[in-house]
Amino acid sequence: MSDYKSGTKCIQSGYIPENGELRTLPIYQGTTYKYNSGDHLASLFNLENAGHMYTRISNPTVAFVEDKINDLEGGVGALCTSSGQAASLIAVLNITSSGQNIVCLSNLYGGTTNLFSVTFKKMGIEARFVNPSMSDEEIGSYFDEHTRLVFAETIANPSLDVLDIGRFSKIAHSHSVPLFVDNTFATPILCRPIEHGADIIIHSSSKYMDGHATVIGGVIIDGGKFDWAQSGKYPEFTNSDPSYHGVKYSEQFGSAAFIVKARVQLMRDLGSSPQPLSAFLLNLGLETLALRIIRHSENAYLVAKFLSEHEKVSWVTYPGLSSDKNYTLAQRYLLNGYSSGVVSFGVKGGKEVAMKCMDALRLAAIVVHVADARTSVLHPASTTHRQLTHEQLKDAGISEDFIRLSVGIEDISDILADLKQALDSL
Ligand SMILES: *Cc1c(COP(=O)(O)O)cnc(C)c1O
């Protein structure tokens, strides 16, 4: 890990050119690598030497971007995936199989909730949902000897609950399991969960990291602090892997056992790898991440303040507002309390008026996406979270009048004027 500040890492980490080499990240567009001897290639397949074998498993352009993100999060290794969903899938499957269970926060992103509660169920993995308002004791009652991990989001999408990372890391560790944190909304600029006790980080890089709504992607970062061998619960790290001639991940790869296994076993088998060109595009986004996320946060704060003072608005949630229930946690865990660009609010009159309000916006577009440079809006209950039951919606903190506003980096006066004309038209 370099000693540079995050803003410098965004630009300088990862690819470091040698004398006379290309100054910017080269695109290694290809599937295949060449070796001088069969023995050398055999040693790669035996995991005795590090090197690229096949782009499904690793690629130089992708590896440079992985190094940059790893450096930003302060981990021991990262693995880029074809989407955020693939990152969650691979991260959880790396230590969870049929007959086991995971403990998750109930306010997760709708896609993650579907993956965990429907698809994992078919695979024999049970997701047990807990609410942050429960006591430690009550949450503790959801664990048993088959529990493998705790999964939560730093800033939940879209309820915007801020995770008490220290508390949930203590709860997870007291049951000898790791804490997985989806850090998509906060980004490593606003929060580095590993420093607060999280073990494995995942991101949808399709959001602020890319930042321009151009490329789907995900990433897993290994904090390297969880001792898989010591805990005694994870034989997959201490026993031989028959698919690699008996390699023992903890013995051979030490603190990076988790991320090496995720790559050479699950990425090899599942194949949800990113394209080199996608990694290049993601890297362009990462170069300005530190600048953009501050501007998103500053704009969103002013939007939240404006909405909270508007007579047609019934409620506003934004962790950066001093009146917000998540304000204290935001101040504790997020850089200067900056809370990203997502604001949620309701309008007086419920769902019908909420839809009218969205239709009346001109600058802010109705899109499924969040967290990119352009201001956008969405009604989660009828779209991204439509598949959830009424009960799940309530648990995820989504009401019928809930509008999710993703505040972009346009000039704030134009964003405010657009909201004002839409609300005034109701
Ligand atoms: C979008 C999102 C995901 C899923 O990522 P994709 O890149 O769309 O697959 C996961 N977690 C959070 C918090 C998200 O916002």
Side-chain angles (χ1 to χ4, degrees), residues 7-131:
T8 308
K9 288 180 181 181
C10 280
I11 296 170
Q12 299 278 357
S13 287
Y15 173 66
I16 298 167
E18 301 286 334
N19 185 35
E21 284 184 347
L22 198 63
R23 179 71 182 92
T24 53
L25 177 65
I27 305 171
Y28 286 81
Q29 184 65 48
T31 59
T32 325
Y33 308 86
K34 179 247 174 204
Y35 311 95
N36 287 339
S37 77
D39 273 352
H40 180 77
L41 180 57
S43 76
L44 296 185
F45 269 91
N46 255 350
L47 305 182
E48 287 158 16
N49 280 309
H52 301 290
M53 292 179 264
Y54 188 50
T55 288
R56 166 152 39 82
I57 299 162
S58 68
N59 167 279
T61 303
V62 178
F64 289 130
V65 179
E66 289 168 342
D67 288 348
K68 175 178 282 187
I69 296 171
N70 182 55
D71 203 18
L72 282 166
E73 284 286 9
V76 296
L79 173 66
C80 279
T81 58
S82 54
S83 69
Q85 289 299 95
S88 297
L89 175 73
I90 289 181
V92 173
L93 287 190
N94 206 28
I95 54 167
T96 314
S97 52
S98 173
Q100 300 179 324
N101 65 73
I102 62 177
V103 170
C104 323
L105 275 279
S106 57
N107 56 17
L108 299 181
Y109 168 69
T112 311
T113 302
N114 275 334
L115 169 67
F116 289 0
S117 60
V118 181
T119 300
F120 275 2
K121 194 172 175 189
K122 290 186 210 160
M123 302 165 78
I125 295 168
E126 183 196 352
R128 300 177 173 179
F129 292 94
V130 299
N131 194 302

Side-chain angles (χ1 to χ4, degrees), residues 1 13 27 32 39 41 94 99 130 145 170 182 201 211 217 240 281 310 326 336 354 371 388 390 399 401 410 415:
M1 201 189 3
S13 287
I27 305 171
T32 325
D39 273 352
L41 180 57
N94 206 28
V130 299
E145 78 264 34
K170 268 202 204 103
D182 179 338
I201 310 302
S240 309
L281 291 170
H310 199 285
N326 281 291
N336 299 330
L388 302 192
H390 190 73
S399 53
D401 64 344
E410 301 94 339
I415 300 172

